[in-house]
Amino acid sequence: MGKVRTLRDDVFKKIAAGEVVERPLSVVKELVENAIDAGADTIDVEIEEGGKRMIKVDDNGSGFAPEDIETAFKNHSTSKISELEDFNSLNTLGFRGEALPSILEVSKIELQTSDNSKGQGIYCLMEGGKEVERRGISCAMGTSIQVKELFYNFPVRKKFLKTDRTELNQIVSFLEPMTLVHFDKSFQLIHNNKTVFSYKKTGSLKERLYQVFGKDFLDSLQEVDFVMEPYRLNGFVSRLNTGVSVKKHQYFFVNHRPVREKTLVAALNNTFQKFLEKSRNPVGVLMMEIPPREVDVNIHPMKLEIKFENSGAIYKFIKNGIESSFGVMDDFSAALPADDFRSSSDRTNTYGTGGGNTGGPFSGSRSTQSSGGFTIGRQFSGLGGGSGSASGVEPGEGTGAHTSGGTGIASVGQTQGRLPLDDYRQSQLFTGKFTEEETFTIIGQYKNSYIVAEKDGDLLVVDQHNAQERVNFDQLKKEYAANGVASINPLFPVIMELTPSEKSKIDEKKLELMEKLGFRLESLGGNSIDIKSFPQILGEKNVREAVRTVIHLNVTSKEDEVSFEDGVLAEVACKSAIKVNHKLHPDQMKTIVTNLFKTSNPYFCPHKRPIIIEFTLEEIEKMLKRR
Ligand SMILES: Nc1ncnc2c1ncn2[C@@H]1O[C@H](COP(=O)(O)OP(=O)(O)OP(=O)(O)O)[C@@H](O)[C@H]1O
Ligand SMILES: [Mg+2]
């Protein structure tokens, strides 16, 4: 007898539902998308126990007509498409008609809905895949769907759910981009009766970014607004030479749908590559309009991924769009090395006034409909002082109250840019001692970033940032092992806005460990925190950025504690280290190299990047064909 059998209906339905509903996040996603498709501009999400016990989404959209309710909860029933051609003009988030029946298959649902403004509504209770009660009620136009006891009849799936906090974090991470692209809608999230966030509807993405991430974050961004028919792009990206240490602030939206797509990620990161230090990542909140016929949105069960028909053209479009936002700078020439300036000024000609030819298959122009008066030129004030300015090093950096914890370079910021050139030339040859036996000679500084020295007949090229990071790290480790990291309490409050997902990453354990490492944080309610103390070496200017990175580090097991501690110290060491593109006095170079060779590993920084390249005389002579 053959072994192949058709699955029983109830088994098949659960398996199919399991593809759409993987965890509480999936339910929130489907219900919120439906609310948006129904034209709502107020969407309230309430969950209990990470969504495992209860998920409720209220909207003020069009509501269900009474006769549509039963059909809507049946497989493959949708009001959004009827023919395959409809994909060519799809402007809704849903289209498969699978979400509601899938959710119903694995939970108990209470629906209240009204499709009219007369207050006439319907209440429905559904369980075991079907309606068990229906009655008329009075309610406002819109829909409220409450999903209870997720996977009550699907124990295998239930077993794989994570802690309430992890489930909540996933929901917050999904809602965050949703609230950005739908800035014109009010959103609220409540967990176990506590408000996680509440954003009133706004008139622009800029205002929503301010609500979600706060002023500091917004100030580090510049606007992108670009058209290359038939494609449109607007949003925000990092200002040149800023960026963040975490990669998570990269949001892409295609036709209002938050998406993950590798062409977009590559276009953003590659465009920024030469403008950012290695450990920095660009921020990007990029909203694209691409003709629906060029996008396949139906390649992932949860519709999280998409595919472009012509990803090469999209890559070029995004890259040109971001570059055009740099190209409009008046003083761009001052902020870039000569080579880069040449190409960027070409770009300015191409895109600056619109209608030029890019040299490629498209013609590009900056869109004239600017979405919010964000002054792009502002961020360059103070950055125009010579080639060193490209590093984002601001005048006065390092002049704060901090010292460098015995590394001897606290004066770096005070002298940069002010050193008379003649003095500098005269003092180019300095001799120092590594140890009693070893001596070295400073030859000079290359591109204001690399210290060139001679040691035991070898030629050394030392990355000044990585070198000082290593020196600082070893110093901090020593302090930590002895009496704890030296910290200071700032005179004035250092307030910082976190995102809801960042706030939810802070728990008692992390706070306790951070305190040992010199950071004391106090919650101010909402998403604000007050940084009561921080490692002395850091300086107030770098503190917020360091705290943000530290919040993203994981502390889960005992083993992780060691790496969390090292992670925090490495972050502090990096943030307080001198940057590249920063002119040094030979004295300072001498101090850095001397201290570097006293560290536990002069060849690699704590982030495992190399510090020194060495050439022997033999190697040099071989290259010059003298041997
Ligand atoms: N909040 C809501 N307000 C009004 N109508 C809704 C709402 N939620 C769902 N509907 C109606 O129910 C139908 C079925 O919803 P469901 O989410 O199952 O499918 P879909 O959104 O059409 O497609 P997908 O499975 O891709 O989400 C929708 O097409 C819509 O007409
Ligand atoms: Mg749907």
Side-chain angles (χ1 to χ4, degrees):
M1 201 171 82
K3 285 180 266 178
V4 182
R5 259 167 284 133
T6 306
L7 283 174
R8 241 180 29 237
D9 212 35
D10 59 320
V11 179
F12 167 77
K13 274 187 174 163
K14 285 232 176 46
I15 293 173
E19 288 215 349
V20 178
V21 188
E22 198 188 323
R23 52 191 342 113
L25 158 71
S26 335
V27 175
V28 172
K29 175 179 183 293
E30 295 301 338
L31 297 184
V32 167
E33 288 185 351
N34 280 349
I36 290 170
D37 285 346
D41 73 354
T42 301
I43 297 156
D44 293 340
V45 183
E46 189 179 345
I47 60 174
E48 283 173 14
E49 295 176 13
K52 293 180 225 168
R53 196 176 138 84
M54 195 279 291
I55 295 168
K56 181 152 79 85
V57 175
D58 290 353
D59 71 56
N60 63 348
S62 56
F64 288 77
E67 62 276 20
D68 279 346
I69 297 176
E70 201 184 330
T71 329
F73 282 84
K74 277 204 187 114
N75 269 320
H76 316 300
S77 308
T78 179
S79 56
K80 300 171 193 176
I81 60 165
S82 51
E83 303 298 334
L84 273 181
E85 292 75 55
D86 294 343
F87 272 111
N88 292 339
S89 54
L90 188 74
N91 59 7
T92 52
L93 294 164
F95 52 82
R96 289 183 191 158
E98 277 182 354
L100 293 183
S102 303
I103 297 170
L104 179 59
E105 197 56 41
V106 293
S107 68
K108 302 173 183 176
I109 293 184
E110 274 182 57
L111 166 78
Q112 294 188 29
T113 187
S114 166
D115 67 342
N116 58 73
S117 45
K118 291 180 244 151
Q120 299 159 343
I122 285 179
Y123 167 90
C124 268
L125 178 65
M126 291 174 245
E127 244 185 81
K130 57 181 191 301
E131 194 173 311
V132 291
E133 188 189 334
R134 180 187 288 223
R135 60 186 145 87
I137 53 166
S138 93
C139 68
M141 190 158 137
T143 301
S144 166
I145 296 189
Q146 190 171 10
V147 173
K148 291 201 245 179
E149 294 175 53
L150 186 61
F151 300 134
Y152 75 102
N153 53 357
F154 204 167
V156 199
R157 205 27 91 77
K158 198 170 179 178
K159 215 170 59 192
F160 282 98
L161 295 181
K162 302 265 169 54
T163 62
D164 292 2
R165 179 164 288 274
T166 304
E167 297 295 339
L168 170 66
N169 280 345
Q170 294 193 357
I171 290 168
V172 174
S173 300
F174 157 72
L175 286 173
E176 203 168 77
M178 223 42 181
T179 65
L180 297 182
V181 65
H182 294 284
F183 55 77
D184 55 347
K185 302 174 179 36
S186 299
F187 285 90
Q188 177 170 271
L189 174 66
I190 294 176
H191 181 233
N192 292 345
N193 293 320
K194 280 200 200 121
T195 304
V196 180
F197 61 73
S198 177
Y199 305 134
K200 287 265 157 302
K201 58 178 170 182
T202 68
S204 67
L205 171 63
K206 185 182 166 193
E207 286 171 70
R208 179 53 55 86
L209 286 170
Y210 182 85
Q211 290 175 327
V212 178
F213 299 109
K215 183 175 179 303
D216 292 349
F217 186 82
L218 188 58
D219 282 348
S220 72
L221 304 180
Q222 64 182 8
E223 192 168 1
V224 181
D225 193 359
F226 186 67
V227 179
M228 205 189 242
E229 292 298 354
Y231 308 141
R232 285 165 185 269
L233 169 70
N234 70 72
F236 289 84
V237 291
S238 288
R239 286 160 37 185
L240 291 177
N241 289 305
T242 58
V244 289
S245 40
V246 287
K247 237 194 180 132
K248 62 163 257 167
H249 292 306
Q250 300 189 341
Y251 306 95
F252 303 95
F253 307 95
V254 171
N255 303 337
H256 287 86
R257 184 188 298 278
V259 293
R260 282 200 310 244
E261 204 282 327
K262 56 182 188 314
T263 311
L264 303 176
V265 177
L268 173 65
N269 289 298
N270 295 352
T271 308
F272 267 93
Q273 204 171 32
K274 63 181 168 189
F275 301 120
L276 297 180
E277 281 179 38
K278 262 228 180 73
S279 57
R280 315 291 287 167
N281 301 291
V283 170
V285 183
L286 294 173
M287 308 202 293
M288 286 144 262
E289 282 173 47
I290 314 267
R293 63 175 180 280
E294 293 188 27
V295 190
D296 190 351
V297 290
N298 194 21
I299 60 163
H300 188 276
M302 285 176 72
K303 304 193 200 95
L304 294 172
E305 288 167 16
I306 58 161
K307 212 161 140 190
F308 291 120
E309 187 184 80
N310 187 351
S311 43
I314 303 285
Y315 181 91
K316 227 183 228 160
F317 162 65
I318 302 297
K319 189 165 191 296
N320 287 347
I322 295 172
E323 285 175 347
S324 82
S325 77
F326 302 154
V328 296
M329 308 308 312
D330 287 335
D331 51 355
F332 191 43
S333 55
L336 285 175
D339 281 349
D340 287 325
F341 171 54
R342 213 172 304 124
S343 52
S344 70
S345 76
D346 290 344
R347 274 177 229 130
T348 310
N349 292 340
T350 309
Y351 307 122
T353 48
N357 196 321
T358 62
F362 305 98
S363 65
S365 68
R366 250 183 77 76
S367 162
T368 44
Q369 317 143 304
S370 177
S371 57
F374 191 64
T375 334
I376 306 175
R378 182 165 48 110
Q379 61 268 21
F380 282 88
S381 56
L383 274 185
S387 60
S389 61
S391 69
V393 174
E394 284 157 27
E397 181 184 56
T399 55
H402 65 292
T403 67
S404 57
T407 53
I409 35 186
S411 61
V412 165
Q414 287 151 0
T415 53
Q416 75 108 357
R418 280 185 238 145
L419 185 71
L421 206 61
D422 281 347
D423 283 6
Y424 173 65
R425 285 208 190 99
Q426 274 167 24
S427 57
Q428 265 195 343
L429 288 177
F430 268 79
T431 302
K433 265 179 178 287
F434 295 127
T435 64
E436 284 314 302
E437 310 84 47
E438 289 175 307
T439 56
F440 66 94
T441 306
I442 296 286
I443 296 172
Q445 192 186 18
Y446 175 65
K447 292 274 180 200
N448 290 334
S449 303
Y450 306 99
I451 301 168
V452 183
E454 184 184 332
K455 179 203 145 201
D456 298 338
D458 294 342
L459 183 72
L460 308 188
V461 181
V462 180
D463 182 310
Q464 65 195 40
H465 171 78
N466 292 353
Q468 210 205 344
E469 188 177 329
R470 163 55 66 192
V471 171
N472 290 352
F473 181 75
D474 278 31
Q475 174 68 27
L476 283 162
K477 285 270 274 192
K478 231 182 271 166
E479 279 180 22
Y480 182 61
N483 320 308
V485 173
S487 66
I488 55 166
N489 306 323
L491 272 181
F492 298 102
V494 181
I495 310 289
M496 184 177 166
E497 280 290 319
L498 299 178
T499 66
S501 65
E502 283 170 341
K503 187 88 192 252
S504 68
K505 288 202 167 75
I506 306 181
D507 55 18
E508 283 302 311
K509 179 89 194 145
K510 194 173 264 187
L511 281 179
E512 207 180 284
L513 277 171
M514 283 181 77
E515 193 157 347
K516 279 203 230 158
L517 293 157
F519 290 100
R520 193 155 60 80
L521 311 183
E522 237 175 64
S523 174
L524 291 178
N527 291 320
S528 305
I529 52 167
D530 186 357
I531 303 165
K532 290 285 190 192
S533 62
F534 54 83
Q536 190 178 34
I537 190 172
L538 201 52
E540 194 168 321
K541 180 176 172 301
N542 302 314
V543 70
R544 289 185 182 82
E545 181 76 42
V547 166
R548 202 175 291 283
T549 311
V550 169
I551 285 173
H552 286 278
L553 296 175
N554 276 335
V555 199
T556 40
S557 64
K558 184 76 194 155
E559 270 159 56
D560 275 357
E561 270 180 35
V562 180
S563 60
F564 178 77
E565 287 161 359
D566 273 2
V568 173
L569 296 180
E571 182 57 25
V572 173
C574 174
K575 289 280 143 43
S576 52
I578 194 157
K579 308 281 189 293
V580 291
N581 281 318
H582 194 121
K583 190 178 221 163
L584 295 176
H585 187 281
D587 263 344
Q588 297 161 340
M589 297 186 225
K590 192 179 84 175
T591 311
I592 291 176
V593 178
T594 308
N595 287 327
L596 175 66
F597 277 93
K598 288 183 191 155
T599 62
S600 55
N601 186 350
Y603 289 91
F604 286 92
C605 83
H607 288 116
K608 310 263 184 311
R609 286 190 308 262
I611 298 174
I612 303 175
I613 332 174
E614 282 181 351
F615 300 93
T616 62
L617 180 64
E618 195 185 337
E619 282 166 340
I620 290 173
E621 288 186 341
K622 267 195 185 145
M623 285 189 269
L624 294 170
K625 305 269 183 267
R626 286 186 176 274
R627 284 186 191 230

